[in-house]
Amino acid sequence: MTGRLDSAQPFALGLFRMVVGLLFACHGAASLFGVLGGAVGTDGGTVEAGAWPNWYAAVIQLVGGTLVLFGLGTRVVAFIASGSMAYAYFTVHQPGALWPMENGGEAPAMFCWAFLLLVFTGSGAFGLDRLLTRRDDDEERERAAGARTPVSV
């Protein structure tokens, strides 16, 4: 049973990455465009353009979530997204109370740890990262094979 589960791990990780990316992008779209109920605390509205930190967080959420969804630059983007959620938790939520259940910071805490996991695991299956990496690996192998080919004089 463990063998089957281990062989399915890249696919489960890929699905996990896509769901986390989609949910994160939805938060950004809601804040920037007022869709899906709008930004939290605005009664269906948007955050003010350029307002620190809300607008910048929304841009990170939309762009970062979309990139993670497709698996492009997953590790770097996940690192930035994880840091933005840690910042959100400690500056917005944690001053209200210690525990996420008490301060409303469950979503930032979960996103922070989910993205931190993706920093270490990569995109898993279905990610465009894997296609680009595979292509780079193939080119590297071709160059290495060419370097070993004897040259006739």
Side-chain angles (χ1 to χ4, degrees), residues 21-150:
L22 177 64
L23 294 174
F24 202 57
C26 287
H27 277 276
S31 296
L32 292 174
F33 307 121
V35 298
L36 305 169
V40 175
T42 63
D43 201 25
T46 62
V47 295
E48 184 181 338
W52 177 260
N54 299 348
W55 185 81
Y56 295 94
V59 170
I60 290 171
Q61 290 167 357
L62 180 62
V63 174
T66 302
L67 289 172
V68 167
L69 171 64
F70 291 113
L72 277 171
T74 302
R75 291 177 190 256
V76 173
V77 174
F79 182 76
I80 293 167
S82 178
S84 75
M85 288 295 97
Y87 177 84
Y89 181 79
F90 285 111
T91 60
V92 176
H93 298 279
Q94 200 276 329
L98 178 62
W99 297 102
M101 285 291 291
E102 297 174 316
N103 63 29
E106 292 172 87
M110 288 295 290
F111 275 124
C112 178
W113 285 103
F115 283 120
L116 189 62
L117 176 66
L118 290 173
V119 169
F120 290 97
T121 61
S123 63
F126 317 119
L128 296 179
D129 280 347
R130 290 182 69 129
L131 292 176
L132 298 174
T133 303
R134 192 171 296 142
R135 187 175 305 141
D136 290 344
D137 289 346
D138 291 343
E139 290 172 3
E140 185 64 35
R141 269 188 237 117
E142 287 175 17
R143 270 188 248 128
R148 284 184 263 139
T149 305

